[in-house]
Amino acid sequence: MNYSAELVELIEEFKEIDDKMERLEMVFELADEVNLLPSDQWTDSTRVHGCQSEAHVKIGLVNSNVNFQAGADSKLVQGLMGILTMAIHGCDANIVLELTPNFASEMGILNSLSPSRSNGFRNMFDKVMNEIRTQLEAQL
Amino acid sequence: MNYSAELVELIEEFKEIDDKMERLEMVFELADEVNLLPSDQWTDSTRVHGCQSEAHVKIGLVNSNVNFQAGADSKLVQGLMGILTMAIHGCDANIVLELTPNFASEMGILNSLSPSRSNGFRNMFDKVMNEIRTQLEAQL
Amino acid sequence: MREEFPILQREINGYPLVYFDNAATTQKPNSVINAMNDYYSNSNANVHRAVHTLAGEATEGYESCRSALKARFNANKAIITSGTTEAINLVAHAWGRANLSDGDAIILTEMEHHSDIVPWQMLAQEMNIELRFIPVQKDLTLDMDLFEAAIEGAKLVCVVHISNVLGVCNPVEKIIDIAHRNGARVLLDAAQSAPHQDINFEELGADFMAFSAHKMCGPTGIGALLVTDDAFDEMQPFMGGGDMIETVSIRGSTYQKNEQKFEAGTPRIAEAIGWTEAIKWLNSVDIKTEHKRILNSARWLANQLRNLGMKVYARHGDNDAAVVSFLHPTMNSEDLAHLLDARGFAVRTGHHCAQPLLERLEINGTVRVSLYFYNTHEEVVSFVEYFTEIMERFA
Amino acid sequence: MREEFPILQREINGYPLVYFDNAATTQKPNSVINAMNDYYSNSNANVHRAVHTLAGEATEGYESCRSALKARFNANKAIITSGTTEAINLVAHAWGRANLSDGDAIILTEMEHHSDIVPWQMLAQEMNIELRFIPVQKDLTLDMDLFEAAIEGAKLVCVVHISNVLGVCNPVEKIIDIAHRNGARVLLDAAQSAPHQDINFEELGADFMAFSAHKMCGPTGIGALLVTDDAFDEMQPFMGGGDMIETVSIRGSTYQKNEQKFEAGTPRIAEAIGWTEAIKWLNSVDIKTEHKRILNSARWLANQLRNLGMKVYARHGDNDAAVVSFLHPTMNSEDLAHLLDARGFAVRTGHHCAQPLLERLEINGTVRVSLYFYNTHEEVVSFVEYFTEIMERFA
Ligand SMILES: Cc1ncc(COP(=O)(O)O)c(C=O)c1O
Ligand SMILES: Cc1ncc(COP(=O)(O)O)c(C=O)c1O
């Protein structure tokens, strides 16, 4: 698929960073991009399973545009949510559904993370895509 | 202790052989030196434990001289019994009791054998020595 | 292929090693040895749950073994154990104790290895279960009529795929079919078949399959139990400890849902990494061709030994293993093995952990030559030459 | 010493590895790696009962491990297992099921590792046995008054010698004394103490002691249970299979009399050979001096972390281990561990397989730094420097 200009820029920025700590620092900063899902709205249905820490996501469709809210008790996880926010929030759901987790690999963030964290990212990605798909179908 | 002339000669002969098969061959030939304990006299009390095959020994004292009878279903084991025969049969029990299994190591036969066989030899040696000691004490 | 196995360069008593004890354990190629070496030198860490780089590498290495097993054998669930023996004991404890009850029957065969007998005897004693042993016939095959007659009321059939003494490959498709039609689960002891065949677990249809890495060019201390999803769901935890739990409190614990449920404690990490390489090695071998080659060598050897007056216990049908068990009419087997070792030939003697089979054959043991893919026909020929010499000099 | 450990030359993300996850598993010296390499390259064979040269070498190598264990720990019986976890499960099955009955009690502590909790929960459920957990007090020690009050009616006391989370060394002499005066046997979980202390098993007086090779510079996949002669005589076989039997027939089986009775199947041969070298290595270390050195580093680290605002869970008495468990007041532990890994520092986070202890401390996990003899004070200083930088940039 074609990435949004914002995402393309982000991928480029990440690619330029060699130092792992700086890369993590950038992920941390992206935690601010998240539309926060307040922890009192965390439920079993918002929960991303297979994450070591608590991670919650909520999807809404405004017309056919994705509204993505998320929250985690790890800032790193929330940073990953921030990246996903830049990739999908406000975008057309049909276009979003063409996305694969490749963009995260391209950034080099997945292999900066422990296997359980990068699995966690994949689980989050899958859950978000499934929700979008389900809600799109429900609209039909 | 001082080895008998016969035993010294045997140790020398063994030392000269480099080839393992020839050494085994010599052990096989020494099976003929054994005063055979017929298999119908094999009992639990003659049995050498910890031997993989059947091995039986019987000790008698004639005056204080050792009478050693033995038998095994392995010719190799019987060869080892033959060596022990040359070391102790007809000898004075008090002198025999000073013997250690070192002479067999000196010959290089123990490390020609699998660990279980050389353990078997040690068990046989210990059993024979214990019998001699018991019978000597009984004579007192 | 031989140059990949460093031990094959070894000399014994001044003669080249001729390793014919492959049914006991196989040798390891450099790729296996080096992978473990590399793990300990560069990536050693405990697996699961940790964040640091080494722990990630170790976890990926360990889990790659599970993936390699699932792919090679086409299985959905691969539980990593310490070997065939633990895998079978795992079935007895995790499945047997939860699914069998007073008066149930288990079918075994007289061809089983002790590892597939003793766990069931222990379970039978504990739970009052009947063990039915299918006899081995004069032609060294299982009595399938008696098997069909015995199946009623049996909940489990435990059968060795290939006998480690005889090399005979049992008709497991037929056994599985009959067992399943009668509602019995089937445990396959594949310790000897996993190294010699391409086995498709799902297609074959057994419920459990146990085997060891060390018999298929992998390290010691590791093996596996493949399980179908259905049978997996019937299993209760066996050993308790770290890694197999989800939560622990002093009030009680909950368990993992996947294979880790049966892998308590720090797992065999280096061993899993070594085994992965062994599986890769095996995947690269043209097993059908190699099997035919060594089987032909075994057939030739059996004939030569018969001509020399030995009693040979083998069938050597196309699916049988390249194993030749034999006895000299008078000469003690261990004596023979010692003489063979003097010229570098490694064979095994004794009961091969299959005393009930030997009891049926009315013998105490055999001398066993077992070939693997790195053995050559020249080695077999030199064996016969030296064996002939021994007969002339010693028998 | 460091040059003996090849992994310590490794770089992570361009920075030298600083391995502070030693309570999870330790690194291996060249002597251990090379011994296993050499075994697979030159002597690999199955053990016991075989006549050929390789089998003899393998058997001697395997049994040398048992001898080394008995000598180092002054024990009469050393059963080789796959690790601490299997050793404890072995006690539960082989001793527990044979010697406990309905209504008996087992004493555990809240400081136990899951491996010393879950097997007893499973046994308790099966046999209707009461589990009594001795609480951990605010000062991180066991409540010995409650222990004395709980001992009546207990048949077994299971206690961790040194906590893997806190590094606290428990008063095991006293515990053993009280237990024995009340007729209870004692199982010591020595997974963390065996690597850090010179333990004299007979003198200490415990009945069982379990530990793992991989935490004391040995390979993965192997561990041991030391047992007194008295307790050994009370144990029934656990897993069935080859090597643990004397005779097998379809009518029943008899078992070995020595440790092999509990070592069913092909054992961990390469691992035993590697462990033997690890024990030799440990025998060559001046443990008292080295322990004092790393404990002082741990004390210094704990103070520095406290000054940086961390909550530290440790006592660091003279017998405690060089472990520093801590929490940042707000920052997520895994985030911290990721940042540490970025500069090569390997620490562990999470529940350390000791959830009941964390529940008592009212936390979910800690960040744990655990030192071993090859760690230097310079490493600890560089850790604090980088940690300070992280605090400035991220917290
Ligand atoms: C105190 C304690 N007990 C038991 C264990 C379990 O050891 P293993 O996983 O090697 O079986 C560990 C290590 O994880 C430990 O630290
Ligand atoms: C047919 C068969 N089953 C089971 C086993 C036991 O395997 P392990 O000793 O690796 O557990 C063996 C090998 O000894 C075998 O040949």
Side-chain angles (χ1 to χ4, degrees):
Chain A
M1 73 170 284
N2 291 328
Y3 297 146
S4 68
E6 220 179 352
L7 188 56
V8 169
E9 195 181 323
L10 193 65
I11 292 175
E12 286 311 310
E13 267 183 70
F14 266 101
K15 274 188 179 165
E16 274 165 31
I17 308 176
D18 277 342
D19 185 67
K20 182 174 166 182
M21 190 180 67
E22 285 175 30
R23 217 177 305 133
L24 292 175
E25 196 166 12
M26 220 167 109
V27 178
F28 272 61
E29 280 163 13
L30 291 165
D32 297 339
E33 301 291 322
V34 174
N35 307 296
L36 214 60
L37 182 73
S39 58
D40 58 7
Q41 292 181 36
W42 293 3
T43 65
D44 217 47
S45 75
T46 60
R47 181 160 192 201
V48 181
H49 288 277
C51 256
Q52 243 166 278
S53 41
E54 293 280 324
H56 293 264
V57 294
K58 192 170 173 185
I59 292 292
L61 287 193
V62 183
N63 301 322
S64 69
N65 288 342
V66 173
N67 182 44
F68 178 52
Q69 287 179 283
D73 58 8
S74 147
K75 200 162 178 190
L76 202 51
V77 174
Q78 203 165 312
L80 296 173
M81 292 166 163
I83 294 171
L84 196 57
T85 303
M86 292 175 73
I88 67 169
H89 184 68
C91 300
D92 185 282
N94 290 295
I95 295 179
V96 164
L97 282 178
E98 291 172 29
L99 202 64
T100 71
N102 278 352
F103 74 92
S105 313
E106 276 183 56
M107 286 177 179
I109 50 169
L110 290 192
N111 44 14
S112 295
L113 297 173
S114 63
S116 62
R117 275 286 151 81
S118 61
N119 272 338
F121 179 81
R122 284 204 187 79
N123 291 345
M124 172 169 72
F125 185 87
D126 290 348
K127 182 175 168 68
V128 164
M129 290 297 160
N130 282 336
E131 292 271 328
I132 295 174
R133 202 170 293 117
T134 312
Q135 293 193 23
L136 255 190
E137 278 161 12
Q139 284 190 346
L140 294 182
Chain B
M1 73 168 287
N2 292 328
Y3 296 146
S4 68
E6 221 179 351
L7 188 56
V8 170
E9 196 182 321
L10 193 65
I11 292 175
E12 286 310 310
E13 268 185 69
F14 265 100
K15 275 189 180 164
E16 275 165 30
I17 308 175
D18 276 343
D19 185 67
K20 182 174 167 182
M21 191 181 65
E22 286 175 30
R23 217 177 304 134
L24 292 174
E25 196 166 13
M26 221 167 109
V27 178
F28 272 62
E29 280 163 13
L30 291 166
D32 297 340
E33 300 292 321
V34 174
N35 307 296
L36 214 61
L37 182 73
S39 59
D40 59 6
Q41 292 181 35
W42 294 2
T43 65
D44 217 49
S45 75
T46 61
R47 181 158 194 207
V48 182
H49 289 277
C51 256
Q52 243 165 277
S53 42
E54 292 279 324
H56 293 264
V57 294
K58 193 170 173 185
I59 291 293
L61 288 193
V62 184
N63 301 322
S64 69
N65 287 342
V66 173
N67 182 43
F68 178 51
Q69 287 179 285
D73 59 7
S74 148
K75 201 161 178 192
L76 201 50
V77 173
Q78 203 165 311
L80 296 173
M81 291 166 163
I83 292 171
L84 196 56
T85 304
M86 292 177 74
I88 66 169
H89 184 68
C91 299
D92 185 282
N94 289 296
I95 295 179
V96 163
L97 284 178
E98 291 172 30
L99 202 64
T100 71
N102 278 352
F103 75 93
S105 312
E106 277 183 54
M107 286 176 177
I109 49 170
L110 290 193
N111 44 13
S112 297
L113 297 173
S114 62
S116 61
R117 274 287 151 81
S118 61
N119 272 340
F121 179 81
R122 284 202 187 80
N123 291 344
M124 171 169 73
F125 185 88
D126 289 347
K127 181 176 168 69
V128 164
M129 290 297 161
N130 282 336
E131 290 272 327
I132 294 174
R133 201 170 293 117
T134 313
Q135 293 192 24
L136 254 192
E137 278 163 11
Q139 283 188 347
L140 295 183
Chain C
M1 178 187 297
R2 289 177 66 81
E3 67 285 354
E4 294 179 57
F5 291 79
I7 205 171
L8 299 180
Q9 318 306 318
R10 165 130 188 216
E11 296 198 336
I12 304 282
N13 303 312
Y15 295 83
L17 166 67
V18 177
Y19 186 75
F20 281 171
D21 194 14
N22 292 291
T25 199
T26 52
Q27 299 304 339
K28 324 302 172 203
N30 277 320
S31 60
V32 171
I33 302 173
N34 294 344
M36 291 188 283
N37 210 324
D38 183 57
Y39 165 72
Y40 283 127
S41 302
N42 292 301
S43 304
N44 174 67
N46 213 324
V47 298
H48 300 141
R49 293 182 182 279
V51 156
H52 61 79
T53 301
L54 299 183
E57 291 173 5
T59 304
E60 277 181 6
Y62 179 69
E63 290 297 332
S64 72
C65 180
R66 201 190 309 284
S67 313
L69 287 168
K70 289 184 180 178
R72 175 164 178 84
F73 295 103
N74 188 28
N76 258 340
K77 291 274 189 298
I79 301 168
I80 294 180
T81 69
S82 65
T84 307
T85 302
E86 191 185 292
I88 295 172
N89 279 275
L90 173 61
V91 178
H93 282 263
W95 186 88
R97 294 177 79 203
N99 294 280
L100 298 174
S101 49
D102 204 326
D104 281 343
I106 297 176
I107 297 191
L108 308 170
T109 88
E110 285 180 351
M111 229 184 256
E112 300 311 305
H113 187 279
H114 293 166
S115 290
D116 201 26
I117 298 175
V118 185
W120 307 115
Q121 290 181 328
M122 291 164 88
L123 192 71
Q125 220 164 11
E126 179 190 333
M127 299 186 72
N128 189 29
I129 282 167
E130 184 196 346
L131 300 184
R132 300 176 186 159
F133 283 84
I134 305 304
V136 175
Q137 305 174 113
K138 283 244 154 51
D139 68 356
L140 308 181
T141 63
L142 295 176
D143 188 329
M144 290 298 288
D145 292 340
L146 280 187
F147 173 64
E148 291 206 50
I151 190 71
E152 206 182 309
K155 288 277 173 60
L156 178 68
V157 175
C158 301
V159 60
V160 65
H161 194 174
I162 293 184
S163 158
N164 62 314
V165 180
L166 306 170
V168 167
C169 183
N170 287 314
V172 290
E173 293 85 349
K174 198 169 163 193
I175 289 171
I176 292 167
D177 182 50
I178 296 169
H180 282 180
R181 275 194 282 115
N182 285 274
R185 295 220 176 268
V186 178
L187 162 63
L188 213 59
D189 174 353
Q192 296 295 336
S193 55
H196 287 272
Q197 298 186 355
D198 290 317
I199 300 176
N200 185 323
F201 176 68
E202 288 286 334
E203 212 174 279
L204 193 55
D207 302 280
F208 306 99
M209 178 171 136
F211 50 104
S212 301
H214 71 93
K215 292 188 199 278
M216 48 193 287
C217 296
T220 56
I222 187 166
L225 181 74
L226 307 182
V227 193
T228 58
D229 286 331
D230 281 358
F232 189 87
D233 289 340
E234 295 173 355
M235 290 169 75
Q236 293 302 310
F238 173 25
M239 291 201 249
D243 267 13
M244 55 77 74
I245 58 87
E246 207 157 78
T247 59
V248 175
S249 86
I250 65 172
R251 296 164 300 284
S253 300
T254 60
Y255 306 116
Q256 298 256 22
K257 310 264 170 305
N258 56 16
E259 291 100 325
Q260 287 178 30
K261 183 174 179 176
F262 303 102
E263 297 173 5
T266 300
R268 298 119 182 120
I269 309 166
E271 292 79 358
I273 287 168
W275 198 8
T276 305
E277 290 303 317
I279 294 168
K280 279 190 205 159
W281 183 84
L282 213 58
N283 288 344
S284 78
V285 172
D286 177 355
I287 287 201
K288 285 208 177 59
T289 309
E290 290 295 317
H291 175 70
K292 201 175 281 177
R293 180 178 66 73
I294 61 173
L295 181 62
N296 279 334
S297 284
R299 285 168 173 155
W300 182 84
L301 174 60
N303 274 333
Q304 297 293 315
L305 288 171
R306 282 195 196 93
N307 292 342
L308 286 163
M310 303 303 118
K311 174 134 182 63
V312 175
Y313 300 86
R315 289 178 61 83
H316 294 152
D318 287 346
N319 289 320
D320 294 347
V323 170
V324 185
S325 256
F326 66 93
L327 276 177
H328 187 281
T330 57
M331 197 169 175
N332 175 281
S333 294
E334 270 85 35
D335 290 356
L336 201 44
H338 267 102
L339 289 167
L340 287 165
D341 181 63
R343 286 289 181 274
F345 293 94
V347 302
R348 189 146 294 235
T349 57
H351 57 54
H352 314 302
C353 296
Q355 288 179 339
L357 173 60
L358 299 184
E359 198 178 322
R360 164 64 60 181
L361 301 174
E362 298 178 345
I363 54 182
N364 289 322
T366 71
V367 183
R368 184 185 68 188
V369 169
S370 53
L371 307 179
Y372 203 49
F373 301 145
Y374 40 68
N375 288 125
T376 65
H377 193 62
E378 289 68 46
E379 288 180 312
V380 178
V381 171
S382 70
F383 177 86
V384 170
E385 280 169 10
Y386 177 53
F387 194 84
T388 310
E389 188 187 331
I390 292 177
M391 292 301 101
E392 284 160 3
R393 275 170 87 162
F394 295 92
Chain D
M1 177 187 297
R2 287 178 67 82
E3 67 285 355
E4 294 178 57
F5 291 79
I7 205 172
L8 299 181
Q9 318 307 318
R10 164 126 190 219
E11 295 198 336
I12 304 282
N13 302 313
Y15 294 83
L17 167 66
V18 177
Y19 186 76
F20 281 171
D21 194 15
N22 292 289
T25 199
T26 53
Q27 300 303 338
K28 325 301 174 201
N30 278 318
S31 59
V32 170
I33 301 172
N34 294 344
M36 292 189 282
N37 210 325
D38 182 59
Y39 166 72
Y40 283 126
S41 301
N42 293 299
S43 304
N44 175 65
N46 213 325
V47 297
H48 301 141
R49 294 182 181 279
V51 157
H52 60 80
T53 302
L54 299 184
E57 291 172 4
T59 305
E60 278 182 6
Y62 179 69
E63 289 298 332
S64 72
C65 180
R66 200 189 309 284
S67 313
L69 286 169
K70 288 183 182 180
R72 173 161 181 86
F73 295 103
N74 188 28
N76 258 341
K77 293 272 188 298
I79 301 168
I80 294 178
T81 69
S82 65
T84 307
T85 302
E86 191 186 292
I88 294 173
N89 280 275
L90 172 61
V91 178
H93 282 263
W95 187 88
R97 294 178 80 204
N99 294 279
L100 297 174
S101 49
D102 205 327
D104 281 344
I106 297 176
I107 296 189
L108 308 170
T109 87
E110 284 180 352
M111 229 185 256
E112 298 313 303
H113 187 278
H114 293 166
S115 290
D116 201 26
I117 298 176
V118 185
W120 307 115
Q121 290 181 328
M122 292 163 87
L123 191 72
Q125 218 163 14
E126 179 190 334
M127 300 185 73
N128 189 29
I129 282 167
E130 183 197 346
L131 300 184
R132 299 176 185 159
F133 284 85
I134 305 304
V136 175
Q137 307 174 111
K138 283 245 151 55
D139 67 356
L140 308 181
T141 63
L142 296 176
D143 189 328
M144 290 298 288
D145 291 339
L146 279 187
F147 174 64
E148 290 205 52
I151 190 71
E152 206 182 308
K155 288 278 172 61
L156 177 68
V157 175
C158 301
V159 60
V160 65
H161 194 173
I162 292 183
S163 159
N164 62 314
V165 180
L166 306 171
V168 167
C169 183
N170 287 314
V172 290
E173 294 85 351
K174 197 169 164 193
I175 289 171
I176 292 167
D177 181 51
I178 296 169
H180 282 181
R181 275 194 281 115
N182 286 275
R185 294 221 177 268
V186 178
L187 162 63
L188 213 58
D189 173 353
Q192 297 294 337
S193 55
H196 287 272
Q197 300 187 353
D198 290 317
I199 300 176
N200 185 323
F201 176 67
E202 289 287 333
E203 213 173 278
L204 192 56
D207 301 281
F208 306 99
M209 177 170 135
F211 51 104
S212 299
H214 71 92
K215 291 187 200 280
M216 48 193 287
C217 296
T220 57
I222 188 167
L225 181 73
L226 307 182
V227 194
T228 58
D229 286 331
D230 280 358
F232 189 87
D233 289 341
E234 295 174 355
M235 289 168 75
Q236 293 301 312
F238 173 27
M239 291 200 248
D243 267 14
M244 56 76 74
I245 57 89
E246 205 157 77
T247 61
V248 175
S249 88
I250 64 171
R251 295 164 301 284
S253 301
T254 60
Y255 307 116
Q256 297 256 22
K257 310 263 171 308
N258 55 17
E259 289 101 325
Q260 286 177 32
K261 181 173 180 177
F262 304 102
E263 296 173 6
T266 300
R268 297 121 181 119
I269 309 167
E271 291 80 357
I273 287 168
W275 198 7
T276 306
E277 290 303 317
I279 294 168
K280 279 190 206 159
W281 182 84
L282 213 56
N283 288 343
S284 78
V285 172
D286 177 354
I287 288 200
K288 283 206 179 61
T289 307
E290 290 295 318
H291 174 69
K292 201 175 282 179
R293 181 179 65 75
I294 60 174
L295 182 61
N296 279 334
S297 284
R299 284 168 175 156
W300 182 83
L301 173 60
N303 274 331
Q304 298 292 315
L305 289 171
R306 281 193 197 96
N307 292 342
L308 285 163
M310 304 302 119
K311 174 138 181 63
V312 175
Y313 300 85
R315 288 178 60 83
H316 295 152
D318 287 346
N319 290 320
D320 293 347
V323 169
V324 185
S325 256
F326 66 93
L327 277 178
H328 187 282
T330 58
M331 197 170 176
N332 176 281
S333 294
E334 272 83 35
D335 289 355
L336 201 45
H338 268 101
L339 288 167
L340 287 166
D341 181 61
R343 286 289 182 273
F345 294 93
V347 302
R348 190 146 291 237
T349 56
H351 58 50
H352 314 302
C353 296
Q355 288 180 339
L357 173 61
L358 299 185
E359 198 177 324
R360 164 65 60 180
L361 301 174
E362 298 178 345
I363 53 181
N364 289 321
T366 70
V367 182
R368 184 184 68 188
V369 168
S370 54
L371 307 180
Y372 203 49
F373 301 146
Y374 39 69
N375 288 125
T376 65
H377 192 62
E378 289 68 46
E379 288 181 312
V380 179
V381 171
S382 70
F383 177 87
V384 170
E385 280 168 10
Y386 178 53
F387 194 84
T388 309
E389 188 186 333
I390 292 177
M391 291 302 100
E392 284 160 4
R393 274 171 85 163
F394 295 92

